[in-house]
Each structure stands twice: as C-alpha cells, then as structure tokens.
Amino acid sequence: MHLAYPAVLAALLFVTGLYGVLARRNAILVLMSVELMLNAVNLNLVAFDVWLRDTLHAGQALTLFTIAIAAAEIGIGLAIVLMVYRNRGTSDVDKLRDTAEGHGPGHPDDTADTAATTARPEVAA
C-alpha cells in the first residue's frame, strides 16, 4: 500500500476541519470540524502503523485512545454548548465573546446599570 493516498486524504480532511474551525460561527459546527481534524490524525496513525509494520500496533492503540478522548470531548462540549444556548439564546461564537472578555467601560450594557444606580442614591446609615 502506498503511504501517499491516506496521507493526502488525511491532509485534505485536516485542512477542511481547520477551515471549519476558523470560518464557522456556530459552535456545533466548530465541534464537528474539530472531529474532522481528529479523524485526519487517526487516519495518519493507522496508515503509518500499517506502513511501518509495527508489531505492537502502537498507531492503532493511539487511535483507540484518540477516539475515546474525542467521544468525551464531544459529550462535554455539546453539553456546554446546549447550556450556553439555553442561557443566551444563541450558539453564535461571535456573540459569545463578551462572556470571556467581560464588559469594559463605555459598554452599552453598563449605561443601564449606572443609570439605575444613580437614580436611587444610597442612604447612609
């Protein structure tokens, strides 16, 4: 078996997954693109294992380990995406950036909070 065929296919899968991670806005599609990238790695591991004729089949063992990690990643990642969708009403990655970055001074949401606090002054005890 020629090593070039699975290597080219794995490279195409990896590039497609990388494009999906960088270009997509939906969090579920980003997770699917990460899975494409992991499948490209698995294909390379098995192809090099067959090409090297490894007696321990280390490539196949690493592939099984990667599949188990990918299943756990998808389970946890999908649960996080569903909870964010329930709380925010969207799974758009661009709209979720304010969660990680926080609100700075002059943010539109801050004006409503400051107006509400200045409307009723605190009573000193």
Side-chain angles (χ1 to χ4, degrees):
M1 176 175 92
H2 294 287
L3 186 61
Y5 300 133
V8 168
L9 179 62
L12 289 174
L13 276 175
F14 193 84
V15 168
T16 304
L18 185 64
Y19 173 75
V21 166
L22 296 176
R24 296 293 176 188
R25 301 293 179 237
N26 191 349
I28 294 176
L29 292 178
V30 171
L31 287 174
M32 288 175 58
S33 298
V34 169
E35 288 296 319
L36 269 177
M37 293 168 65
L38 287 173
N39 284 331
V41 170
N42 289 340
L43 183 61
N44 267 335
L45 284 171
V46 171
F48 277 98
D49 185 52
V50 169
W51 184 64
L52 292 174
R53 292 184 177 91
D54 187 17
T55 56
L56 295 175
H57 300 293
Q60 294 177 17
L62 284 173
T63 298
L64 289 175
F65 181 71
T66 307
I67 289 171
I69 295 297
E73 175 254 336
I74 278 297
I76 293 172
L78 193 58
I80 291 171
V81 167
L82 287 176
M83 289 303 288
V84 167
Y85 182 77
R86 283 184 186 172
N87 290 334
R88 295 272 182 163
T90 184
S91 62
D92 190 4
V93 177
D94 287 338
K95 292 181 181 174
L96 298 176
R97 286 195 180 160
D98 62 342
T99 305
E101 295 172 0
H103 300 299
H107 194 271
D109 292 340
D110 290 341
T111 58
D113 292 337
T114 56
T117 56
T118 56
R120 48 187 166 89
E122 298 290 339
V123 177

